[in-house]
Structure formats: C-alpha cells, structure tokens
Amino acid sequence: MLKETYTLNNGVAIPKFGLGTWFIDDDKIADAVREAVKIGYRHIDTAQAYGNERGVGEGVRTCGIPREELFVVSKVAAEHKTYEEAKAGIDGTLEKMGLDYLDMMIIHSPQPWVKVNQSDDRYVEGNRAAWRALEEAYKEGKLKAIGISNFQIGDIESLMETAEIKPMVNQILLHISNTPIELVDYCQKNDILVEAYSPIAHGEILNQPEIKAMADKYGVTVPQLCIRYTIQLGTISLPKTANPEHMKSNTEVDFEISAEDMEALKNFKKIESYGASSGFPVYGGRI
C-alpha cells in the first residue's frame, strides 16, 4: 500500500496513503514524521492552522531519505482570502518548514473557520484571489501541485470560472457514516482527486458495534476497515497518529471489502457525535 500512487491531473504521482498530523504538537511531530518515514510513509500532510509546520519540516529534513522521495503537503489558512495574504502565507510556510518547495499546497476551507456552519457567504472572490496566489507559486516551481479542501460542488464551479489551473485534489471529511457520494463523484468525473481526512471519524467509529462486527468478519481492526473503505472509494486516505504501532497497523490493509459490504458502509447511519471534538467546524460545530 505504501508504494502505491495515484496520478494527479498534472501528471504528478501522489502516494495513496499519507500521515495526517492534526493535533500533533510541533515539538513532537518531527519524531512522528521520522518514525512514519522509517515505516515506509512517503506522504505527509500538515497545515498552517495545525501549528506544527516547523516540526514537520524538521522531520522531513532529518528523516534520512532524499527530499524528492517524499510528498509534503500544507494548507493555506482558511482566513487568507486575499492574494497578498495567501502569497505571504505560502512563502511563510516554505520558510518555516525550511524547504525549497512543497509537493502540494491547498486552500484549507472556502470559508474562514469562524464563518463555517454560520454563514451563507462562500467567499467566492476571496477563494479566487487565494487560488491566484497558488497558481503563481505553482508556475514558479515553489509548489508541484495545488488543490482545495472542504470545497463543495458550488465552490469548485465558482473557482473554475476564473481559474487558469484546475485543482488537483479536494481534501474532504470522508469516512464510514459520512460519505458525500455526490461530491466524490463530481470530483472524480472532473479529474480532481479526492483525499479523505479523518477516515476513522476522529475515533468515534470505534464505538459502532456493527462496524466492529464487519471488521471481525474480515479479520482486521476497525481502523483498517475504515482506511480500506476510503481506498476502495478511489480516494487518498490520511489517518492521523503519532503512535508508531498505529502507523504500521494502519498500512496493513491488503484485503478487499466486498461490493455488498461497500454499499452497506456507504449507507451506514450517520454517527450522532464526534465526542469532545464536535465543536470543530469540520465536524459540524462552530467557533
């Protein structure tokens, strides 16, 4: 699994499997990156909002393998809705991480986080301005690929009205009990690769006995079933962990979920709560 890749719409190869780093502290993430690379990970995902770009950069620089063998991603802050803000943010990320280029950078959200789930304003012009900064950095070679995150179909269509370059990915919340099939289908039909963040539902899917029973049927763990599910949907899976044992276990997904079970998982009841993390906008909360 760790050696398998997709090809982005600009011809760049991207590993199917990556390490998510949300909630891993800056002073701990370098060790986590080094451990992940030792296991075989080659795709590392961070964001300006995570507050750990410096540590991720340190891990990338000191992991012992050539830079070009890694696929390193960060995200433009959701609040950066002008060309100037986004441009400064891109350059700031490269400086903070101590890297000459990123393999990909994406807009973190079509709306600033304080407006998510609270406003109908989709910041059309702000996203176009931020996208222009990404396009420029891409043309300059600072970024090997560019994309978006948490964009709905309307957001993508608005962006594409003025974009010179089509987004290469859309990173979205996608897991068993939350599978936005219409959005996934739209992206795939338009050659925009979907990335699944929180593929294990921020841990809350572990509390579903029906999912545990299906995992037992395949002789795998619940996280392995969840990750395999996102892979079989044709998406990139980005589970987050700083635990080397979990990192390794998460990659052991060389099994096939039957078509019947995939349909059942696509239509699995929506989980009622993301627990203590329910307040985060990506899980339906408000800041």
Side-chain angles (χ1 to χ4, degrees):
M1 175 56 62
L2 288 171
K3 293 184 178 179
E4 295 181 20
T5 62
Y6 294 114
T7 301
L8 298 174
N9 62 36
N10 67 340
V12 169
I14 182 172
K16 285 186 178 182
F17 195 86
L19 179 72
T21 63
W22 188 28
F23 276 121
I24 305 178
D25 293 340
D26 192 54
D27 61 349
K28 296 182 175 66
I29 189 61
D31 284 339
V33 169
R34 286 188 286 262
E35 285 294 333
V37 170
K38 194 183 302 180
I39 290 166
Y41 284 72
R42 294 296 181 264
H43 181 169
I44 312 295
D45 182 272
T46 185
Q48 293 172 354
Y50 298 173
N52 61 12
E53 287 180 316
R54 185 214 61 81
V56 169
E58 178 190 333
V60 168
R61 296 192 315 272
T62 61
C63 67
I65 70 166
R67 167 69 184 90
E68 59 270 18
E69 292 184 18
L70 293 176
F71 197 97
V72 184
V73 183
S74 193
K75 305 177 189 73
V76 173
E79 294 70 31
H80 290 176
K81 297 304 181 196
T82 69
Y83 165 82
E84 292 78 14
E85 288 173 330
K87 177 179 170 60
I90 294 164
D91 291 338
T93 285
L94 288 167
E95 183 178 356
K96 191 175 294 184
M97 297 183 78
L99 301 176
D100 295 329
Y101 69 92
L102 287 183
D103 297 275
M104 186 163 66
M105 199 154 190
I106 62 184
I107 298 175
H108 206 161
S109 168
Q111 298 172 296
W113 294 123
V114 294
K115 297 295 185 180
V116 174
N117 303 320
Q118 297 189 68
S119 172
D120 292 331
D121 185 352
R122 302 305 293 183
Y123 288 79
V124 170
E125 293 306 322
N127 289 317
R128 289 173 176 176
W131 189 251
R132 197 165 77 252
L134 282 173
E135 288 180 325
E136 180 181 277
Y138 174 74
K139 291 173 185 176
E140 292 172 348
K142 295 176 182 178
L143 311 172
K144 302 298 183 185
I146 53 178
I148 50 182
S149 181
N150 297 300
F151 274 52
Q152 299 302 309
I153 293 173
D155 301 319
I156 300 170
E157 291 178 339
S158 296
L159 188 67
M160 286 304 300
E161 287 178 10
T162 60
E164 288 183 44
I165 301 168
K166 180 189 290 188
M168 285 130 207
V169 305
N170 187 17
Q171 187 178 128
I172 61 174
L173 177 66
L174 193 161
H175 55 74
I176 296 167
S177 81
N178 188 86
T179 305
I181 289 297
E182 185 180 359
L183 177 58
V184 172
D185 287 347
Y186 173 87
C187 289
Q188 291 177 340
K189 286 174 183 174
N190 285 278
D191 205 14
I192 300 171
L193 187 63
V194 175
E195 296 188 298
Y197 71 77
S198 295
I200 309 169
H202 210 58
E204 290 304 313
I205 205 73
L206 301 173
N207 302 323
Q208 303 297 322
E210 302 98 322
I211 301 304
K212 176 65 167 66
M214 188 179 291
D216 289 345
K217 168 184 166 181
Y218 286 96
V220 299
T221 66
V222 170
Q224 287 168 339
L225 180 75
C226 291
I227 291 165
R228 182 68 204 181
Y229 171 72
T230 58
I231 294 291
Q232 282 188 219
L233 287 175
T235 75
I236 288 172
S237 200
L238 297 168
K240 184 274 295 183
T241 183
N243 183 317
E245 290 183 10
H246 292 169
M247 287 179 194
K248 187 172 186 304
S249 176
N250 286 346
T251 69
E252 295 168 350
V253 292
D254 188 21
F255 65 98
E256 191 80 15
I257 302 172
S258 72
E260 182 182 3
D261 285 341
M262 281 295 292
E263 282 304 308
L265 294 174
K266 283 180 189 177
N267 295 290
F268 188 73
K269 65 185 180 185
K270 192 167 180 64
I271 58 173
E272 295 179 5
S273 169
Y274 288 90
S277 296
S278 294
F280 286 100
V282 293
Y283 300 132
R286 299 179 176 183
I287 291 178

